[in-house]
Structures are given as structure tokens and as C-alpha cells.
Amino acid sequence: MSIWGVIGGTGLTELEGVELLGEDWPETPFGKPSAPLVHGRIGAQDVVFLARHGKPHRIPPHRVNYRANLWALQAAGVEQVVAVNAVGGIHPELKAGTFCVPDQVIDYTWGRAPSFFEDDLEHVVHIDFSWPYDADLTQRLVRILREQGLAHMPKGVYAATQGPRLETAAEIIRLERDGADLVGMTGMPEAALARELDLPYACLALVVNPAAGKSSEVITMAAIEAVIERGMGQVKQVLASLISG
């Protein structure tokens, strides 16, 4: 049986219902990952959990060591990865508290280490990134969301922005014009690095706020945290069904 990897984003620093087997904080060729790897078991399935922003939550999106995170998961034997992301909703259907399982991504980030293949290469490496998310994993996530009756969009375009600030209303207009449905700060280079390691990777995105300019109300951390508190319980149920199934 394969070992699952779960990367937790904002609001998800640990999994529930897991039989804990131990943890370690390995060194990689790219430094230490954001947090210790937590090893556990859900049913008969082994799982390794990693808090993307550290535990406690203190690493901003542009400072996450994405390369160390993905390298450490693969070195731990992980064979498929589900990433949880808190995002803003651009598409009208993506209200706060709804889910999206994106099938495409547009990268607007800059200054982040984007690849494992940079130094002392025997030849340049180009990966096929036409379809950035694993089709089988995304379909399984969509099926579970549907079975659990959770409001969701079964596909969408994730716009990865630099952060840590939220976007301007004009920037969201641009992203929407580019075809983006949701916006977050941690989708890249994480997805590309997983592809470089041949790790099947999917994103479970929880919409925690309307994107800038999509609501007449001011975006506040208090409102976002309230949605996260409600939504992360649903996230854990989805992950438990995915991994144990």
C-alpha cells in the first residue's frame, strides 16, 4: 500500500483521527522542511503530514522552503501528495466556505526557488507541466466532495500570487481576465516541484474569502479565520475518506 503525503496550509497544522507513529525533522540537500514530518496511520494506510507554514504557523508564503518540503516527503517514502490551500474566490460560484479542486494553475510568483534542476547539471531538465495536477487524485477528491454533499467546483484555474499581502481589486480583475477562478499564495512552485519528483499531486482548495473587489465588505482576518475554523473540519473529513478509501 502506498504512503500518503498531506501538506497542510493555513488552518491545518495537524490531522485528526490519525494513529501517531512518530515524527522527525530531516535535513535535505535544500535545508530543513517547514516543520517536522508527522508519521501516522489512518485505517490501514500510512500517512506523512507536513505543516507548510510551520508549527506554529509563522512562515509566510514567499519564505516557505518548498524544495525541502517536497524532497523530505519523497525521501520519507511518500508516493502521492494532497495539498490543502486556503484561497480567495474569484469565480462567482466560489463563495466563502466552498471548495475547489483545481485542474490548472497560472504562476505569478517571483523570486522563489522554482526547480530542483539548477546547479551542476549534466543536461537541462524540462518537465511536461501541461496538466499540473494528477487526474486520478483530483477525480477522487471531487467524488468525495460530491458524496459528502459539500459545495464545490470540480475544476478551476488557480492563480498563484506572491503574497504575503492580499491582492488589489485591480489585480483580481487582471487575474479574472487571464482566466483564473481562485487565488492563493502557495500553489507554486509546490505543484511543479512535485512533478519534477514524479509525485502525483492534487490540491484541495478551501475558499476562505471573496477575492479583492468581489464583495462590498472589507476583507478581515477575523472573517477569514471564522471560515477556516468551520471549513477545516470538513477538510479533515475529506482527507480521512480519501486516505482510508
Side-chain angles (χ1 to χ4, degrees):
M1 287 180 288
S2 62
I3 300 177
W4 286 86
V6 175
I7 301 176
T10 299
L12 186 64
T13 57
E14 60 186 16
L15 285 177
E16 293 178 356
V18 178
E19 176 191 353
L20 296 178
L21 302 177
E23 64 177 50
D24 66 293
W25 203 343
E27 189 70 41
T28 79
F30 306 96
K32 281 187 173 292
S34 297
L37 303 183
V38 179
H39 301 263
R41 188 173 291 125
I42 297 179
Q45 292 285 349
D46 290 331
V47 60
V48 180
F49 178 80
L50 174 61
R52 183 189 290 116
H53 296 282
K55 187 179 179 182
H57 182 285
R58 58 187 176 190
I59 305 173
H62 66 298
R63 291 288 183 88
V64 171
N65 192 338
Y66 296 96
R67 292 194 295 185
N69 287 353
L70 271 298
W71 188 278
L73 288 172
Q74 187 194 53
V78 165
E79 298 167 72
Q80 50 195 342
V81 176
V82 177
V84 178
N85 298 77
V87 301
I90 298 175
H91 192 283
E93 290 184 21
L94 290 178
K95 309 294 185 184
T98 62
F99 290 91
C100 183
V101 184
D103 63 330
Q104 280 293 331
V105 63
I106 304 175
D107 188 6
Y108 299 93
T109 66
W110 51 269
R112 304 182 184 188
S115 175
F116 293 110
F117 302 110
E118 293 185 329
D119 301 314
D120 302 321
L121 301 179
E122 294 183 3
H123 55 85
V124 176
V125 177
H126 300 286
I127 58 168
D128 179 6
F129 204 52
S130 303
W131 304 98
Y133 302 102
D134 182 78
D136 179 62
L137 279 181
T138 56
Q139 289 169 8
R140 292 168 71 180
L141 282 169
V142 170
R143 176 178 54 80
I144 292 169
L145 288 168
R146 184 172 60 248
E147 289 174 350
Q148 295 189 1
L150 298 174
H152 67 282
M153 274 181 55
K155 63 180 181 178
V157 178
Y158 180 122
T161 57
Q162 181 69 0
R165 67 168 177 83
L166 298 177
E167 300 73 33
T168 68
E171 287 170 333
I172 294 300
I173 291 172
R174 175 201 174 191
L175 299 183
E176 186 171 28
R177 190 167 59 239
D178 286 351
D181 299 300
L182 57 156
V183 57
M185 303 173 189
T186 54
M188 288 290 288
E190 192 172 273
L193 293 169
R195 178 62 52 84
E196 287 188 346
L197 295 176
D198 289 325
L199 281 174
Y201 175 97
C203 168
L204 176 62
L206 171 66
V207 180
V208 298
N209 62 275
K214 292 298 178 180
S215 171
S216 59
E217 299 180 4
V218 176
I219 300 173
T220 67
M221 289 309 301
I224 290 174
E225 288 167 0
V227 176
I228 289 174
E229 185 174 354
R230 294 194 301 270
M232 283 304 156
Q234 297 172 331
V235 166
K236 293 171 184 177
Q237 292 174 10
V238 171
L239 292 175
S241 295
L242 177 70
I243 294 169
S244 62

